[in-house]
Amino acid sequence: GQQLNQSPQSMFIQEGEDVSMNCTSSSIFNTWLWYKQEPGEGPVLLIALYKAGELTSNGRLTAQFGITRKDSFLNISASIPSDVGIYFCAGQEETSGSRLTFGEGTQLTVNP
Amino acid sequence: NAGVTQTPKFRVLKTGQSMTLLCAQDMNHEYMYWYRQDPGMGLRLIHYSVGEGTTAKGEVPDGYNVSRLKKQNFLLGLESAAPSQTSVYFCASSYSEGKNIQYFGAGTRLSVL
């Protein structure tokens, strides 16, 4: 089946640092979504991307839909302790109907 | 706004027991999904539904059954639980196939002993 490679698997950073993570797929996607999951909760949508090359921001978060349509990137600027959590990318292929494929997640730890 | 509500939040079963997980959404969404989440494996789709009365298999359907008798509810059943089904289960719903933003419940933590 479809494979999504998300990296890095984990990050340990100091408060105030910038963070970058990315996802790559083996096939073309028409939608990329980025979610955040906090302990004991379900994933919550951060950013949705629908066009190749699209760059979208949500506060300190910025995500991009890669021009090859096989990758996406999420950046967090000036991290704060409440950014701690697991960040997931998810993609939708044109032929997959309503199904999403999820990456394995990036566990982010922010040290005050 | 309740969004997506899952019950129960926690459950412990013995091998061979059966149970049903309930998912309810109040957003009038057509599409509903059941995922399981295991450490280091992200979210894997078990079954999904594209509308009332429909169900379809996802990536890991074995050992599970589902029903969507009402648009707002999606039930996940385990007929004979196995330790390999110990996991966190998430339900999600979405409005359309096109801009497919899925909204998640808080999860059900299931342990099978």
Side-chain angles (χ1 to χ4, degrees):
Chain A
Q2 172 58 245
Q3 296 291 323
L4 263 190
N5 295 312
Q6 184 171 350
S7 64
Q9 288 186 330
S10 61
M11 303 182 74
F12 297 84
I13 62 171
Q14 293 296 124
E15 183 176 359
E17 290 183 0
D18 296 343
V19 172
S20 292
M21 59 191 79
N22 68 85
C23 280
T24 58
S25 71
S26 56
S27 58
I28 291 174
F29 283 171
N30 61 9
T31 300
W32 282 100
L33 305 173
W34 285 93
Y35 286 86
K36 178 187 178 185
Q37 184 181 25
E38 298 187 8
E41 300 293 331
V44 174
L45 182 72
L46 298 173
I47 294 177
L49 302 161
Y50 300 109
K51 290 183 181 179
E54 182 180 354
L55 187 70
T56 299
S57 293
N58 178 5
R60 294 176 296 103
L61 279 63
T62 302
Q64 184 163 23
F65 193 139
I67 58 173
T68 65
R69 298 176 63 192
K70 292 185 176 184
D71 55 9
S72 181
F73 307 86
L74 177 69
N75 296 317
I76 305 173
S77 63
S79 59
I80 59 178
S82 63
D83 289 334
V84 166
I86 304 176
Y87 292 79
F88 290 100
C89 63
Q92 182 181 14
E93 295 180 76
E94 285 186 353
T95 57
S96 68
S98 64
R99 291 168 293 172
L100 294 177
T101 300
F102 283 81
E104 295 178 354
T106 296
Q107 173 73 62
L108 178 63
T109 302
V110 180
N111 296 315
Chain B
N1 292 332
V4 178
T5 303
Q6 292 183 233
T7 53
K9 295 189 185 304
F10 303 94
R11 186 73 185 268
V12 178
L13 290 178
K14 294 181 180 178
T15 297
Q17 287 185 320
S18 64
M19 77 163 295
T20 300
L21 283 66
L22 172 63
C23 178
Q25 52 94 3
D26 63 1
M27 297 175 282
N28 200 34
H29 286 172
E30 287 292 334
Y31 300 83
M32 297 187 75
Y33 315 83
W34 275 107
Y35 293 91
R36 61 178 288 172
Q37 184 177 34
D38 301 294
M41 300 188 74
L43 290 154
R44 293 184 292 169
L45 184 64
I46 304 171
H47 286 282
Y48 64 104
S49 168
V50 300
E52 181 179 319
T54 75
T55 63
K57 294 180 180 180
E59 180 185 356
V60 289
D62 293 343
Y64 305 95
N65 57 76
V66 289
S67 64
R68 183 102 182 266
L69 298 179
K70 294 184 178 180
K71 185 177 183 179
Q72 64 268 33
N73 296 336
F74 196 28
L75 278 63
L76 178 71
L78 286 73
E79 290 186 349
S80 180
S84 61
Q85 294 178 303
T86 294
S87 188
V88 182
Y89 293 86
F90 287 99
C91 176
S93 69
S94 64
Y95 178 70
S96 71
E97 180 178 307
K99 294 196 173 183
N100 186 17
I101 295 174
Q102 295 185 11
Y103 297 86
F104 285 81
T108 296
R109 283 140 189 86
L110 175 66
S111 292
V112 183
L113 305 179

